[in-house]
Amino acid sequence: LRERVLACVRTAQSPPGPADECGFKFVPGTDESGWRQLPVPGASVKLLSLDAERGYAVVLGRLAAGASYPSHPHRHAEQIYVLAGDLHIGARALRAGDFHEAAAGTRHGINHSETGCTILAIVSVADLQLQLQPA
């Protein structure tokens, strides 16, 4: 037991890497792998974490400068935190540091970004699967 605890402490202090037996996962901000193009030009997502038991995922999302994301429903709640750039949701302009929550059963109008944006989002697995499907 002592060796397992010490191994976990050493792993927690080591450089970021894949998940290990201690239950930690690190994804460096410089890691450009894992981005997946959505069926919308200029839109992509990167899965950071998936909790299949609870049915939610943590993802990074990107919209390129000038890109628009079509109107879409939310079966479940969605939380978005803007990390960089601008995200326009309807008439509301969000900037880095802004937060948005869409309740279950709501529908967004067209989202777009003038300069491009990166967001951190918590979404249901069901809603994420819908976004990954071709229109």
Side-chain angles (χ1 to χ4, degrees):
L1 176 62
R2 180 179 182 276
E3 285 306 310
R4 280 189 74 205
V5 170
L6 289 174
C8 286
V9 170
R10 282 190 294 273
T11 302
Q13 295 172 347
S14 66
D20 64 20
E21 71 277 359
C22 298
F24 296 107
K25 177 182 179 182
F26 298 92
V27 180
T30 56
D31 181 0
E32 285 296 317
S33 67
W35 284 96
R36 184 168 174 186
Q37 181 66 41
L38 292 174
V40 175
S44 57
V45 294
K46 177 178 181 172
L47 180 65
L48 296 177
S49 176
L50 177 69
D51 186 335
E53 185 177 310
R54 293 186 184 140
Y56 74 88
V58 179
V59 300
L60 288 174
R62 283 185 185 159
L63 275 182
S68 293
Y69 196 84
S71 174
H72 59 279
H74 299 108
R75 291 182 182 175
H76 307 280
E78 169 188 86
Q79 291 86 31
I80 294 174
Y81 183 79
V82 181
L83 297 171
D86 66 282
L87 175 64
H88 298 257
I89 300 175
R92 178 76 60 144
L94 303 175
R95 306 272 183 236
D98 291 341
F99 174 80
H100 167 67
E101 181 173 15
T106 60
R107 182 176 192 87
H108 273 145
I110 295 173
N111 297 345
H112 74 278
S113 180
E114 294 174 359
T115 63
C117 68
T118 302
I119 62 167
L120 178 68
I122 300 171
V123 298
S124 73
V125 171
D127 285 341
L128 180 59
Q129 288 172 334
L130 280 177
Q131 291 177 22
L132 292 170
Q133 295 175 2

